Amino acid sequence: MLNLKNESEFRAEIFARNPRGVSEILSRARVCILGAGGLGSNVAIMLTHAGVGEFLLVDFDIVEPSNLNRQHYALKHLGRPKIEALKEQILEINPYAKVQICGEKITSQNAREILKDEKIICECFDGAENKAMIANLSAEYRDKIFVCASGMAGLGGANSIQTRKFGANLYLCGDSASGAGLENGLISARVMLCAAHQANTVIMAILGEN
């Protein structure tokens, strides 16, 4: 068991393998994650492991058995709100993280109010309509960075998952083609590939590398 007296000691030990100076920058960063399912739960955990210090998690759903094949939850989380279970896991990794949760369903009516103070927004929704709604906001809010996803279903090759930049502040991760359905399905490795692209893009944006 670690016996670290303060946050500085904690970060020095836990994030010792980060490149020099990166941990301090990430610790001050805040990321809004819209959706806590296959993409969002994995993005949140990856960013926590990287050292991101603050989150806003937005989701209204609960953990169901069919989620466990690809989402970052366990049997003990079944029936619980995803944002609560995900917050718990984040704090188990980094007890100094600041995690705000919002159980509202994002709509065209409340999206602007929820996102008004957010600078980095990671869209991890399931439905195409909600995905398009968030992506379209990138043209309206040029001071925000939007990291969206489209296409990660089925058994396609890993190299078909890519990150593309559109305009000044919109990034799209995925193959932009494969939709989830009865034939394609959703496999953990491919969903996580897309989530990793999103998490990596967020980190690069925080560090100003894009």
Side-chain angles (χ1 to χ4, degrees):
M1 176 70 92
L2 287 173
N3 184 22
L4 305 177
K5 297 179 181 179
N6 54 48
E7 184 176 357
S8 295
E9 289 186 4
F10 174 85
R11 289 196 162 274
E13 285 288 331
I14 301 302
F15 305 113
R17 298 303 297 270
N18 279 356
R20 186 182 300 273
V22 164
S23 294
E24 185 177 349
I25 297 171
L26 294 178
S27 72
R28 299 193 299 267
R30 174 181 169 98
V31 178
C32 172
I33 300 178
L34 302 178
L39 292 172
S41 64
N42 286 299
V43 168
I45 296 301
M46 289 181 206
L47 293 178
T48 302
H49 281 301
V52 170
E54 188 170 353
F55 297 91
L56 170 61
L57 308 176
V58 183
D59 197 297
F60 64 94
D61 206 359
I62 64 171
V63 181
E64 300 178 355
S66 63
N67 300 150
L68 301 185
N69 83 318
R70 67 197 183 282
Q71 301 183 18
H72 209 285
Y73 302 109
L75 289 172
K76 67 179 181 179
H77 298 127
L78 290 176
R80 294 184 57 188
K82 290 181 178 179
I83 51 175
E84 292 183 6
L86 187 54
K87 177 179 179 178
E88 180 182 280
Q89 293 181 83
I90 290 171
L91 294 177
E92 285 175 350
I93 298 167
N94 179 5
Y96 294 101
K98 299 175 183 178
V99 186
Q100 181 182 355
I101 58 177
C102 174
E104 291 187 53
K105 182 177 181 178
I106 291 271
T107 67
S108 57
Q109 285 72 43
N110 65 9
R112 290 170 178 80
E113 178 64 24
I114 291 174
L115 301 178
K116 65 179 181 180
D117 296 324
E118 305 304 321
K119 296 300 182 184
I120 300 179
I121 298 157
C122 195
E123 175 275 305
C124 299
F125 288 138
D126 292 331
E129 184 176 338
N130 286 332
K131 287 178 173 293
M133 174 184 65
I134 299 303
N136 289 337
L137 287 176
S138 66
E140 182 177 337
Y141 294 105
R142 305 306 291 271
D143 61 330
K144 303 179 187 295
I145 294 173
F146 292 81
V147 179
C148 301
S150 177
M152 73 286 310
L155 296 168
N159 290 340
S160 64
I161 303 290
Q162 299 181 12
T163 300
R164 302 172 179 86
K165 186 177 182 181
F166 296 87
N169 63 333
L170 173 62
Y171 298 85
L172 187 63
C173 304
D175 63 22
S176 299
S178 59
L182 292 177
E183 294 184 2
N184 282 342
L186 291 165
I187 302 295
S188 60
R190 193 161 160 81
V191 172
M192 289 182 188
L193 275 170
C194 189
H197 270 258
Q198 287 189 283
N200 190 61
T201 301
V202 167
I203 291 169
M204 297 294 282
I206 292 170
L207 299 177
E209 299 293 336
N210 285 321

